[in-house]
Amino acid sequence: LILRGKPSLLGRGDKVSEFIKRGENTGEVEITLCTGNPQRPLVIHRKIKQNNSSEWKLNGHTVDAKKVLEQISELNVQLDNLCQFLPQDRVVAFSQLKPTELLMETEKAIGDAHLRKMHQDLIDMRNDIKGLGTRVQEHRQQLERYQEQNRVLERDVERVNERNRLYALIEELEKKKPWLKFEIAKDEWENARVNAKRTKNQMKEKEKQLQIARKPLTDKMAQRNEADKARKAIKLEEAQLLDKRQAVDEDLLKMGNNIEAVQQEIQNLQNTARQREAKMAKARAEIADLEAQISALPEPEDSTEEADRLKVDLRRLNNELKELGYRKTDTQHAAALPQRQLGEISAKLRKQADVRNQRIRALANKDPQGRIIKACEWVEANRSRFVGEVYGPILAEVHVNSKQHATYLEQHCPGWLWEAFVTTNAQDQTLLLTELRQHGTTVINYSGDPSVEIPEPHELEGLKQYGIQGTLDMVVEAPMVVKRILNDHAATARTYIGTQETESRMEEVAEIRAISCVFTPVSQYTYTTSRYSNARTSRVVAVRPPKLFLSSVDQAQVDLLKQQQRDAQNAVHSAEQQLAKIEEETKATDAALRAAREETSALLQRKSDYNKQVSKLKQQVNQKQVSLKALEKTNAGNQEEKLRKRCATINEKRLDKLLELHSMTMRMGNLQLQSEPLVLKIAECEVQIEHLKQEVSGLEAEGGQLAVEHEQHERKKEERKQRALELKKEAERVANLAHSSSCGPDGNRTCTPATCATADLEAKFEQMPGTLEELQDEIKEKNQEAEALFIRDPDVLNQYQERKKKIEDLESKLAAETDLYENGQSKIDELKGRWLPELKEVVEQMGRTFSESFAAIGCVGELGLEEHENFESYEMRIRVKFRAEEALQTLSSHRQSGGERSVSTMLYLIALQEFTKCPFRVVDEINQGMDAVNERKIFTKMVEAACRPDTPQCFLLTPKLLPQLEYSPAVTILNIMNGPRIKKVSSTWDPSRSYKFYKPNPSHAAMAR
């Protein structure tokens, strides 16, 4: 850890915080390393924290971990090299190294690891040129294949070339064809241009004739329009007179109707006067009759005493009814409190019952497919099919009052157990397994007696002095079957619950063999005992927050709520009984009150009926008197006089209208006489205009025909021009010429092959046929000659040319790759010439030392370097033989025992030691597993090897040593006295009786520390 090594190298933990002493927050370690300057050693200090972070210091100065790693690398410290740092738990890993890996590790440990670097360079260089050599061979074979394929195609290529020559000639003939077509199109365009010019001149002449013919038509149409205008003015005046006459006729009709209406009104006034006299006589008679009826009505009896009595009864009944209302309100108020409490208690109980659903949803959150929910739904829907009780999932059946205890229980039990269902009948288990197989549900059947209580650990009473309160089984509330399952699969009855006091006394608790698992507020301690060595190991895990027991049921609270619910229900029932009694009394009082009100109402009704009859008769008398007065005031004589004057006024107005009508009739006769000459003149003009229009239409038709003909000639001219231009462009494109803009249609000169073509093309055109038909016959003949040449593959020329280009490219690439491959191979040979001899020499020297060491202990061992074609396959073989009847066998974790592997590993490290340049070497408990004879021999060899000149410092860590071992004066022994029971032993231990020094070789002057 102090040398920036990974905790995993020790094989005992993954985090540096696991090496901090129990109960402490930090741990510190320091090492002093020798450097090139003896006066300035390198002091490295590391402070490890519980969050796995560290603080580093070099020679007292705070630095980062990267700086420490650079200093360690400069000293060639290789903690990941088993040949330099061999922890106890990785001795097996050393024997499991493959021969190729062993060679690599050995090379890294030798000197400055230059052999390892050269070996890796050889591997990389061989990998680089391996693909290059393959490509050179492939390219050489491909080149030969291309060359052979082109030789086969040469005769076909000759035929292709001949056909291409004919096609080239045909292409030149085709170049003249557009020019001949252009000449034909140009002549057609010239003819169309002449025709268009001729029709244009004819159109101008016809337009002049049309203008001469239109003048008399225009004059005659003006005369016609003037006469028509005068006739329209007369018609307009006639229409106005007709409208006025119609209006006068309507006024005369209205006046006649008004006179008749006035005469009718006069007649009506006379009839009304006679009727009014009759009505007045009838009204006087009716008034006298009504007054007689009022006098004849009998008056009601006096009921004052009866009315007073009824008032007293009504007041008394109203007071009683009001008092019952007050009592009902008080009773309702008294019942509202327990009703409200009942609702609150029910809500709390529902909340407690919803904990089961919350826990099922917590399980479903781990399963995106929702299988646990589907399983629960199936179980609830099919409970009628079960023979016995079915519980589950277990998480929903378990209740823990303390949140802290629930955290312990969730962390202790395996996750699959919470999703499991529990049956008490084997048939139910089979049914669940069959139906819920697709959901992957675990089903556990309990066949024992659930009524038997789980016994309390007998040692629990003695453990309470350490702060242990009980076991997990004691805090769990669940059906006994579920508690049995929890204990069978998670040993809840043997898992103890501790306190902070337990945490502070964990060193004492760890010595109690009866405890296999204990929880404290911050950690879970688990202890295991080896079945072979009876050694006891511990594992400490921090207590994690719960994920499933986020909500819990307090059973005591549930019981209290249920009792409060029953009390509230009783209070509500008592209040409802009181309200029913008050309701009956209220109904009786209300009935009596209604009877008294009805009697009072009948008394008042009799008096009210008498008053209404008198009032009604008096009202009728008043109405008759008012009508009589109105009839007496009416005066019909004045109205008749007014109507007669109105009739005379209307007759005077009728006379004025008749005179106006006569005047309008005379004017309409005069207008009729003025209109007749104008009509005759308009008819005469219409005949003359029609004749002139026919003449103009004939000229316009002839002009239109000329215009259509001219348009057709113009369109033909443009079409011929466009056709000629397109043929000109096509001829230019085919001949690949750049022509002047003055050539062709509308140009200043004629465009022909003789004027636009190059001298070479002009000469060729001169030798070709001069007409289009002859040229097409020539092209057809050449096509037949070309088609007569048989070619198996039309693409043979392209294949030949492409392959020829590939051959040239491949020859160039092959030459470059061959040079590169030969250069790479020469570099490999040169580097191998330096690496392999040196490696063989080292292996040979190591082999001699290794064999001598094995011979010294009465066994046989040898080292061998096996060469291969691939440098990554080079192997270092360790072959050993510990018994005479055996043959040499390769060291492995399968053939040799642990002690034999330790002996072989240690002797290999001793043989490697004189070639390493590291500052020190660490070997941890290498003697564990060896028999006493081999351990004594190996220890002697280690002492000898560690004391040789120019060897690195060597550390041997071991919990025990054999007695009477031989030590060298160059060996320093450090005894670690630690632990609560070591004080007495350390005070009586005498190192002088424990070590024996042998006389070392005079040449041995090194010191191992």
Side-chain angles (χ1 to χ4, degrees):
L1 299 181
I2 189 61
L3 295 178
R4 195 67 172 78
K6 297 179 181 178
S8 59
L9 293 176
L10 300 174
R12 298 185 179 182
D14 296 329
K15 301 178 182 178
V16 293
S17 60
E18 296 178 7
F19 292 86
I20 299 175
K21 185 178 179 180
R22 184 186 299 113
E24 301 293 336
N25 295 324
T26 60
E28 300 184 24
V29 58
E30 184 176 283
I31 190 172
T32 302
L33 300 177
C34 179
T35 62
N37 185 359
Q39 303 300 323
R40 290 185 60 82
L42 181 65
V43 180
I44 303 175
H45 182 273
R46 182 178 188 179
K47 184 177 181 180
I48 304 172
K49 301 180 180 179
Q50 285 287 359
N51 60 0
N52 295 308
S53 63
S54 299
E55 295 179 0
W56 296 88
K57 290 184 179 181
L58 285 179
N59 295 330
H61 300 289
T62 301
V63 296
D64 56 11
K66 184 178 179 181
K67 183 66 176 177
V68 175
L69 188 60
E70 291 175 356
Q71 293 290 331
I72 294 173
S73 299
E74 290 178 2
L75 296 174
N76 197 30
V77 176
Q78 303 173 12
L79 295 179
D80 58 344
N81 190 339
L82 295 178
C83 295
Q84 187 177 127
F85 179 71
L86 186 64
Q88 172 195 359
D89 294 337
R90 302 199 66 194
V91 173
V92 176
F94 182 89
S95 63
Q96 290 177 343
L97 287 176
K98 298 178 182 178
T100 54
E101 296 173 343
L102 179 61
L103 177 60
M104 296 290 184
E105 298 294 329
T106 302
E107 287 178 327
K108 285 198 298 186
I110 294 174
D112 56 358
H114 68 285
L115 287 176
R116 175 71 186 96
K117 185 177 182 305
M118 286 193 291
H119 191 180
Q120 187 60 46
D121 290 343
L122 286 170
I123 293 173
D124 296 339
M125 292 166 66
R126 173 56 60 83
N127 289 336
D128 291 340
I129 70 168
K130 183 186 295 183
L132 184 61
T134 304
R135 289 197 300 273
V136 168
Q137 184 65 24
E138 290 176 352
H139 289 165
R140 185 174 289 112
Q141 294 174 358
Q142 191 175 15
L143 179 61
E144 294 174 355
R145 192 163 54 250
Y146 284 167
Q147 291 172 343
E148 178 62 26
Q149 290 173 352
N150 266 14
R151 282 194 293 271
V152 173
L153 296 178
E154 287 177 355
R155 293 187 63 185
D156 288 340
V157 169
E158 292 176 0
R159 289 194 291 271
V160 170
N161 288 333
E162 175 61 20
R163 191 173 69 170
N164 288 344
R165 184 189 67 77
L166 291 172
Y167 282 150
L169 179 58
I170 293 170
E171 185 177 355
E172 292 177 353
L173 291 171
E174 291 285 352
K175 289 181 180 179
K176 188 174 181 180
K177 188 190 293 185
W179 292 105
L180 296 176
K181 291 181 180 180
F182 169 66
E183 289 293 337
I184 297 171
K186 185 178 68 173
D187 294 339
E188 293 176 352
W189 167 76
E190 184 63 27
N191 294 332
R193 188 175 65 82
V194 171
N195 291 333
K197 185 175 181 182
R198 175 179 56 77
T199 54
K200 185 176 182 182
N201 293 332
Q202 292 176 352
M203 285 174 61
K204 290 180 179 178
E205 183 64 26
K206 190 61 67 177
E207 183 64 28
K208 291 179 182 179
Q209 296 176 6
L210 187 60
Q211 289 177 358
I212 293 171
R214 281 174 177 167
K215 188 175 184 310
L217 176 63
T218 305
D219 295 340
K220 190 58 67 176
M221 290 179 68
Q223 295 176 9
R224 195 264 321 260
N225 293 337
E226 184 177 354
D228 188 58
K229 181 177 180 182
R231 186 175 65 83
K232 286 181 179 179
I234 293 172
K235 282 184 173 293
L236 178 62
E237 188 175 355
E238 289 178 347
Q240 291 174 352
L241 289 173
L242 286 174
D243 292 339
K244 289 181 180 179
R245 182 176 178 175
Q246 184 177 359
V248 171
D249 289 339
E250 290 177 357
D251 290 340
L252 289 173
L253 180 63
K254 288 180 181 179
M255 289 177 182
N257 294 334
N258 289 338
I259 290 174
E260 292 178 358
V262 171
Q263 292 175 352
Q264 183 64 39
E265 287 183 12
I266 293 171
Q267 183 67 33
N268 292 338
L269 284 174
Q270 294 173 355
N271 295 332
T272 301
R274 289 191 294 272
Q275 293 174 357
R276 183 171 64 251
E277 290 297 330
K279 289 181 179 179
M280 290 172 61
K282 183 180 179 181
R284 292 187 185 98
E286 289 177 350
I287 291 171
D289 182 59
L290 290 171
E291 289 176 350
Q293 290 181 11
I294 293 172
S295 301
L297 286 175
E299 293 184 4
E301 298 178 358
D302 188 9
S303 58
T304 304
E305 294 181 359
E306 182 67 17
D308 293 339
R309 182 184 63 77
L310 291 174
K311 287 181 181 179
V312 172
D313 291 344
L314 286 173
R315 191 180 300 109
R316 176 179 58 76
L317 291 173
N318 278 326
N319 290 335
E320 292 179 0
L321 194 62
K322 188 182 296 184
E323 182 64 24
L324 289 173
Y326 291 153
R327 287 172 57 193
K328 182 178 181 180
T329 302
D330 293 342
T331 305
Q332 288 175 342
H333 288 168
L337 179 60
Q339 284 178 343
R340 185 170 59 255
Q341 292 175 346
L342 189 62
E344 294 174 354
I345 293 169
S346 299
K348 291 180 180 179
L349 287 174
R350 285 195 300 272
K351 184 177 180 182
Q352 293 289 341
D354 195 46
V355 170
R356 174 184 176 88
N357 295 330
Q358 292 178 11
R359 292 186 179 174
I360 293 176
R361 287 195 294 271
L363 289 175
N365 289 337
K366 302 191 302 178
D367 178 18
Q369 298 179 356
R371 294 178 297 180
I372 188 65
I373 292 180
K374 295 177 182 177
C376 292
E377 292 175 350
W378 188 94
V379 169
E380 292 301 325
N382 294 273
R383 284 199 175 273
S384 59
R385 299 173 60 183
F386 300 142
V387 178
E389 290 292 333
V390 175
Y391 305 93
I394 289 181
L395 180 67
E397 303 289 347
V398 174
H399 305 293
V400 182
N401 293 330
S402 170
K403 185 177 181 180
Q404 186 70 28
H405 294 166
T407 302
Y408 297 162
L409 183 64
E410 178 179 336
Q411 181 166 332
H412 180 67
C413 295
W416 64 266
L417 189 59
W418 297 123
E419 300 179 2
F421 287 81
V422 180
T423 62
T424 56
N425 186 280
Q427 295 182 10
D428 295 340
Q429 182 186 28
T430 303
L431 176 61
L432 283 176
L433 289 174
T434 301
E435 296 293 339
L436 303 182
R437 181 181 294 107
Q438 68 272 23
H439 302 309
T441 305
T442 302
V443 182
I444 305 172
N445 185 61
Y446 181 75
S447 57
D449 185 2
S451 61
V452 179
E453 295 285 341
I454 300 175
E456 180 180 310
H458 62 275
E459 62 272 7
L460 179 60
E461 192 63 32
L463 296 176
K464 291 183 178 179
Q465 60 177 319
Y466 301 104
I468 293 177
Q469 299 174 334
T471 64
L472 280 180
D473 178 71
M474 298 169 64
V475 300
V476 172
E477 295 181 6
M480 186 55 64
V481 173
V482 176
K483 294 184 69 173
R484 283 285 186 179
I485 294 298
L486 288 174
N487 186 49
D488 292 345
H489 292 82
T492 54
R494 304 295 300 175
T495 302
Y496 295 92
I497 300 173
T499 59
Q500 194 62 42
E501 180 184 0
T502 310
E503 177 71 27
S504 62
R505 301 179 64 181
M506 278 312 299
E507 292 185 359
E508 301 176 49
V509 174
E511 299 297 328
I512 302 174
R513 293 276 175 167
I515 295 179
S516 59
C517 183
V518 62
F519 278 90
T520 67
V522 295
S523 302
Q524 176 188 8
Y525 295 85
T526 305
Y527 301 96
T528 56
T529 303
S530 174
R531 290 182 296 175
Y532 305 102
S533 61
N534 203 30
R536 185 173 172 83
T537 59
S538 64
R539 180 172 176 267
V540 183
V541 179
V543 174
R544 299 182 297 271
K547 295 181 180 179
L548 302 177
F549 282 92
L550 296 178
S551 56
S552 60
V553 176
D554 189 345
Q555 193 59 41
Q557 180 68 17
V558 172
D559 295 340
L560 178 61
L561 289 173
K562 288 183 178 180
Q563 181 60 43
Q564 293 176 353
Q565 185 182 40
R566 288 191 292 270
D567 295 342
Q569 289 173 345
N570 293 335
V572 170
H573 181 67
S574 176
E576 289 176 349
Q577 290 179 340
Q578 293 180 12
L579 286 173
K581 183 177 179 181
I582 293 172
E583 190 66 29
E584 291 178 358
E585 295 178 1
T586 301
K587 288 180 180 180
T589 305
D590 189 55
L593 182 62
R594 281 198 304 273
R597 285 175 178 172
E598 290 175 356
E599 188 175 354
T600 303
S601 178
L603 182 64
L604 294 176
Q605 186 64 35
R606 289 194 295 273
K607 187 173 183 180
S608 175
D609 291 343
Y610 172 77
N611 293 331
K612 283 181 180 180
Q613 289 179 359
V614 172
S615 176
K616 181 178 179 181
L617 291 173
K618 288 181 178 181
Q619 185 177 4
Q620 290 177 356
V621 169
N622 291 334
Q623 290 176 350
K624 297 295 182 180
Q625 291 175 348
V626 170
S627 298
L628 182 61
K629 290 179 181 179
L631 291 172
E632 291 174 349
K633 290 181 180 180
T634 301
N635 187 357
N638 293 335
Q639 292 180 0
E640 185 176 353
E641 184 63 26
K642 290 179 180 179
L643 290 172
R644 294 186 181 281
K645 289 181 179 180
R646 180 179 173 190
C647 186
T649 303
I650 294 172
N651 286 326
E652 292 176 357
K653 291 181 179 179
R654 287 180 67 189
L655 180 60
D656 294 337
K657 290 294 181 179
L658 290 172
L659 294 174
E660 184 180 356
L661 182 63
H662 179 265
S663 176
M664 286 188 292
T665 304
M666 295 298 294
R667 177 57 183 164
M668 288 181 66
N670 292 332
L671 290 174
Q672 186 69 30
L673 293 175
Q674 294 175 9
S675 176
E676 290 177 358
L678 293 175
V679 171
L680 293 174
K681 186 177 183 179
I682 290 172
E684 181 182 358
C685 289
E686 288 288 347
V687 173
Q688 294 173 356
I689 288 170
E690 184 64 28
H691 178 70
L692 292 173
K693 280 184 176 181
Q694 290 177 359
E695 292 180 0
V696 172
S697 298
L699 292 174
E700 287 177 346
E702 293 175 0
Q705 186 176 0
L706 286 173
V708 172
E709 186 178 352
H710 175 68
E711 184 180 356
Q712 291 175 350
H713 288 306
E714 284 288 341
R715 186 165 59 252
K716 287 181 180 180
K717 184 186 73 171
E718 291 298 325
E719 291 175 355
R720 299 296 186 272
K721 178 182 176 180
Q722 187 64 29
R723 173 64 177 165
L725 290 173
E726 291 176 356
L727 290 173
K728 174 191 171 187
K729 291 180 181 179
E730 177 65 17
E732 292 173 355
R733 184 188 64 78
V734 173
N736 195 20
L737 300 175
H739 297 280
S740 172
S741 61
S742 62
C743 296
D746 296 341
N748 297 325
R749 62 189 179 89
T750 302
C751 182
T752 65
T755 59
C756 294
T758 61
D760 182 41
L761 188 59
E762 181 179 356
K764 291 180 180 180
F765 281 175
E766 289 295 332
Q767 297 174 4
M768 296 178 187
T771 64
L772 185 60
E773 291 77 6
E774 294 174 351
L775 185 65
Q776 289 177 341
D777 291 340
E778 182 73 14
I779 292 172
K780 183 177 180 181
E781 182 181 348
K782 296 302 180 184
N783 267 323
Q784 290 174 351
E785 291 179 15
E787 294 296 334
L789 293 170
F790 174 71
I791 299 174
R792 289 175 296 181
D793 187 359
D795 198 39
V796 65
L797 184 60
N798 291 336
Q799 296 177 9
Y800 182 84
Q801 295 294 345
E802 290 177 1
R803 197 173 291 116
K804 186 176 180 181
K805 181 66 172 62
K806 290 181 180 178
I807 289 172
E808 294 172 358
D809 295 342
L810 202 54
E811 286 175 344
S812 175
K813 184 184 292 185
L814 184 60
E817 290 177 346
T818 302
D819 293 340
L820 189 61
Y821 178 78
E822 292 176 352
N823 291 335
Q825 188 62 44
S826 63
K827 290 180 181 179
I828 290 176
D829 294 339
E830 186 273 331
L831 183 58
K832 180 180 179 182
R834 291 189 288 112
W835 168 72
L836 188 56
E838 183 178 356
L839 180 61
K840 285 182 176 179
E841 182 180 356
V842 171
V843 173
E844 185 178 353
Q845 294 180 17
M846 286 179 60
R848 285 197 299 270
T849 305
F850 187 75
S851 298
E852 291 173 359
S853 299
F854 257 87
I857 63 172
C859 300
V860 178
E862 65 177 29
L863 300 178
L865 178 66
E866 293 188 5
E867 301 179 28
H868 295 272
E869 181 179 356
N870 296 326
F871 291 106
E872 61 265 23
S873 300
Y874 273 60
E875 299 177 340
M876 172 72 83
R877 292 283 183 176
I878 301 177
R879 295 184 178 86
V880 295
K881 183 175 73 169
F882 288 92
R883 285 165 285 277
E885 65 276 7
E886 291 181 350
L888 282 170
Q889 295 178 340
T890 301
L891 179 67
S892 70
S893 60
H894 306 292
R895 290 185 180 140
Q896 287 80 26
S897 65
E900 292 170 347
R901 292 197 301 271
S902 299
V903 170
S904 303
T905 301
M906 196 62 237
L907 293 181
Y908 184 83
L909 297 179
I910 291 172
L912 178 63
Q913 180 169 284
E914 60 181 290
F915 300 99
T916 57
K917 299 299 182 182
C918 59
F920 61 87
R921 171 180 287 159
V922 178
V923 181
D924 182 19
E925 299 188 22
I926 193 66
N927 56 334
Q928 299 302 307
M930 295 184 189
D931 57 79
V933 175
N934 285 333
E935 183 179 351
R936 191 175 298 279
K937 292 178 180 179
I938 293 301
F939 186 82
T940 302
K941 284 290 182 183
M942 288 179 61
V943 173
E944 291 177 356
C947 296
R948 292 173 186 168
D950 300 325
T951 56
Q953 193 173 11
C954 182
F955 291 87
L956 172 63
L957 308 178
T958 178
K960 68 179 183 64
L961 287 173
L962 294 173
Q964 303 303 317
L965 293 176
E966 295 182 351
Y967 298 85
S968 167
V971 174
T972 298
I973 302 173
L974 299 177
N975 289 284
I976 307 302
M977 301 294 182
N978 194 12
R981 300 178 178 83
I982 202 67
K983 183 175 182 181
K984 181 178 180 181
V985 177
S986 62
S987 62
T988 59
W989 181 70
D990 184 4
S992 61
R993 295 184 298 171
S994 301
Y995 307 113
K996 175 182 179 182
F997 297 95
Y998 74 96
K999 185 176 182 181
N1001 191 306
S1003 61
H1004 295 175
M1007 178 180 67
R1009 295 183 178 179

